[in-house]
């Protein structure tokens, strides 16, 4: 990635990923020279442009235009890397306004099923020395025949007191979640709460606990929402493995649900659960961390999931200057309350990364 300073307050930004692919699958299948491209490879992954935008910076505002990342609150319900505009007013209460083009629907003709999908949103944030608070409002407008147009409003805040740090967010959804087979609109539903408390026990060690709650919905034309846009920046079920993989171990269990921690069953059944976690640095160059999470559907009668246990442990080693090695282990164990189906398959993973910075 890089930054090009065009003039005072005007700059261009870009970030490019090279040869991003799945190990052993999205590579050449011959036994000789691996060119990193074959019929098994998505050619777009060889050179992937993540960020490409212009930024206009002034004392009281900034404007971003192009493909850029933006998020609201704790990155839970709005978390996206999209084409559009981000305008920030740097007042005592910071105001952000975002427009993104999510989908052109494959045609410049916007009639019928070719209607565009657009994102509109804003947030207001106030920060003091030891606390912050904010509110967000966002919606998707789907002009296609699908009419998948949910919206969300929420409140978030954080507070630091001595060795303790607290953080939380409350979100509520509204709007439509698509069209049913009989042509009726599906209502977008959802109320969810996230709370986190952390204690810095020592200069080199901290522990914390999280709480997750989301309401359940069982109406014929109701569908639980957990997020409007999601690029996996906030993945609490992933923490503890030494680094963020941005891959939630709950994704498969939930059927690909956005932010699956709030609906692990994928059946609009909500969640009640929590986690405990900790991190310690020792011998200056080493860190060890671990996390245990327990989740159960808010409405256990509407699905086959009884509960799911998640355990993560990881080690971080600053082995050389500007070089960090990370390795972690994840165990995900869902349990079924349907004796005829039996328990779900357990999942385990060992993951590692060598990180170079310059």
């Amino acid at each position: 990635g890089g930054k090009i300073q065009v003039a005072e307050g005007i700059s261009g930004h870009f970030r490019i990923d090279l040869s991003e692919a799945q190990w052993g699958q999205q590579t050449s299948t011959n036994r000789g020279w691996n060119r990193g491209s074959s019929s098994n490879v998505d050619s777009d992954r060889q050179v992937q442009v993540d960020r490409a935008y212009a930024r206009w910076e002034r004392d009281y505002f900034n404007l971003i235009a192009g493909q850029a990342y933006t998020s609201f609150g704790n990155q839970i319900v709005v978390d996206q890397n999209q084409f559009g505009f981000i305008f920030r007013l740097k007042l005592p209460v910071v105001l952000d306004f975002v427009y993104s083009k999510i989908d052109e629907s494959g045609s410049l003709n916007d009639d019928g099923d070719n209607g565009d999908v657009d994102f509109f949103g804003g947030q207001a944030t106030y920060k003091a020395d030891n606390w912050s608070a904010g509110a967000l409002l966002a919606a998707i407008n789907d002009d296609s025949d699908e009419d998948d147009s949910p919206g969300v409003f929420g409140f978030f805040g954080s507070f630091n007191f001595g060795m303790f740090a607290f953080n939380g967010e409350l979100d509520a959804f509204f709007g439509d979640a698509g069209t049913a087979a009989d042509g009726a609109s599906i209502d977008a539903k959802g109320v969810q709460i996230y709370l986190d408390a952390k204690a810095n026990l020592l200069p080199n060690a901290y522990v914390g606990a999280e709480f997750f709650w989301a309401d359940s919905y069982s109406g014929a034309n109701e569908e639980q929402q957990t997020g409007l846009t999601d690029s996996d920046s906030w993945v609490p079920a992933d923490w503890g493995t030494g680094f963020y993989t941005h891959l939630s171990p709950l994704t498969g269990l939930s059927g690909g649900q956005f932010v699956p921690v709030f609906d692990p069953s994928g059946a609009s059944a909500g969640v009640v659960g929590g986690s405990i976690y900790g991190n310690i640095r020792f011998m200056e160059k080493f860190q060890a961390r671990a996390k245990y999470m327990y989740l159960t559907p808010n409405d256990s009668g509407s699905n086959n999931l009884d509960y799911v246990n998640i355990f993560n442990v990881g080690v971080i080693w600053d082995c050389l200057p500007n070089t960090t090695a990370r390795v972690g282990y994840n165990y995900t164990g869902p349990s079924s309350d349907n004796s005829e189906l039996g328990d779900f398959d357990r999942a385990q993973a060992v993951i590692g990364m060598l990180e170079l910075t310059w």
Side-chain angles (χ1 to χ4, degrees):
K3 173 183 176 180
I4 302 172
Q5 195 70 42
V6 178
E8 183 179 357
I10 305 293
S11 57
H13 301 253
F14 66 93
R15 194 184 85 180
I16 299 174
D17 293 348
L18 300 178
S19 193
E20 180 178 340
Q22 182 176 346
W23 184 284
Q25 295 295 320
Q26 294 168 320
T27 54
S28 177
T29 56
N30 67 60
R31 298 189 181 188
W33 186 285
N34 178 22
R35 298 173 177 83
S37 62
S38 72
S39 59
N40 295 332
V41 182
D42 180 354
S43 60
D44 293 339
R45 291 178 177 267
Q46 298 309 301
V47 179
Q48 178 178 316
V49 180
D50 286 341
R51 310 279 164 78
Y53 62 89
R55 183 184 183 97
W56 182 20
E57 184 84 30
R58 285 294 182 261
D59 291 339
Y60 296 103
F61 74 89
N62 61 51
L63 175 65
I64 291 174
Q67 181 173 307
Y69 174 80
T70 189
S71 65
F72 290 171
N74 288 289
Q75 303 176 302
I76 299 175
V77 295
V78 175
D79 171 35
Q80 61 187 31
N81 192 71
Q82 301 281 3
F83 293 97
F85 300 91
I86 306 168
F87 180 69
R88 167 169 288 186
L89 278 173
K90 294 183 281 186
L91 305 173
V93 176
V94 177
L95 301 176
D96 293 314
F97 304 94
V98 179
Y99 163 77
S100 300
K101 176 68 69 177
I102 294 179
D103 194 350
E104 192 70 53
S105 297
S107 174
L108 297 179
N109 178 0
D110 294 339
D111 295 336
D113 201 36
N114 294 323
D116 293 354
V117 181
D118 300 293
F119 170 91
F120 303 88
Q123 71 173 347
T125 309
Y126 179 80
K127 293 184 178 181
D129 290 339
N130 62 345
W131 66 274
S132 66
L136 62 90
L137 175 65
I140 291 175
N141 181 50
D142 184 351
D143 276 337
S144 72
D145 292 339
E146 182 64 25
D147 193 24
D148 187 1
S149 301
V152 64
F153 66 90
F155 304 93
F156 53 91
S158 63
F159 176 68
N160 299 322
F161 180 73
M163 61 183 285
F164 299 101
F166 304 92
N167 184 33
E169 182 165 327
L170 165 66
D171 299 306
F173 294 85
F174 59 90
D176 296 323
T179 304
D182 61 1
S185 294
I186 300 174
D187 294 333
K189 297 286 188 177
V191 177
Q192 60 194 35
I193 297 173
Y194 164 69
L195 299 174
D196 173 69
K198 183 173 74 172
N200 296 299
L201 300 179
L202 298 169
N204 64 329
Y206 63 82
V207 296
E210 296 172 305
F211 171 73
F212 308 94
W213 179 89
D215 204 357
S216 61
Y217 301 91
S218 57
N221 289 322
E222 294 180 337
E223 182 177 293
Q224 182 188 352
Q225 306 294 298
T226 55
L228 291 193
T229 57
D230 185 18
S231 62
D232 297 318
S233 297
W234 186 79
V235 188
D238 179 36
W239 193 94
T241 55
F243 59 95
Y244 270 128
T245 63
H246 300 284
L247 299 172
S248 174
L250 297 169
T251 298
L253 185 66
S254 70
Q257 174 74 282
F258 274 4
V259 200
V261 70
F262 289 114
D263 185 20
S265 70
S268 295
V271 75
V272 178
S275 76
I276 53 174
Y277 61 88
N279 186 93
I280 184 169
R281 178 180 287 275
F282 56 97
M283 297 176 60
E284 187 177 350
K285 294 181 179 294
F286 288 89
Q287 290 185 67
R289 56 180 50 171
K291 185 174 193 176
Y292 169 73
M293 178 181 287
Y294 175 87
L295 304 171
T296 185
N298 197 339
D299 181 4
S300 59
S302 65
N303 62 93
N304 294 314
L305 179 66
D306 188 15
Y307 62 85
V308 56
N309 288 304
I310 298 173
F311 176 70
N312 297 324
V313 61
V315 176
I316 303 171
W317 176 29
D318 298 323
C319 50
L320 293 168
N322 303 317
T323 305
T324 301
R326 303 170 184 264
V327 63
Y329 167 79
N330 164 264
Y331 168 85
T332 302
S335 177
S336 171
D337 58 4
N338 188 325
S339 58
E340 295 181 0
L341 290 177
D343 279 348
F344 296 97
D345 291 336
R346 272 63 171 163
Q348 300 182 73
V350 176
I351 50 181
M353 179 174 71
L354 183 64
E355 181 181 20
L356 310 178
T357 59
W358 63 88

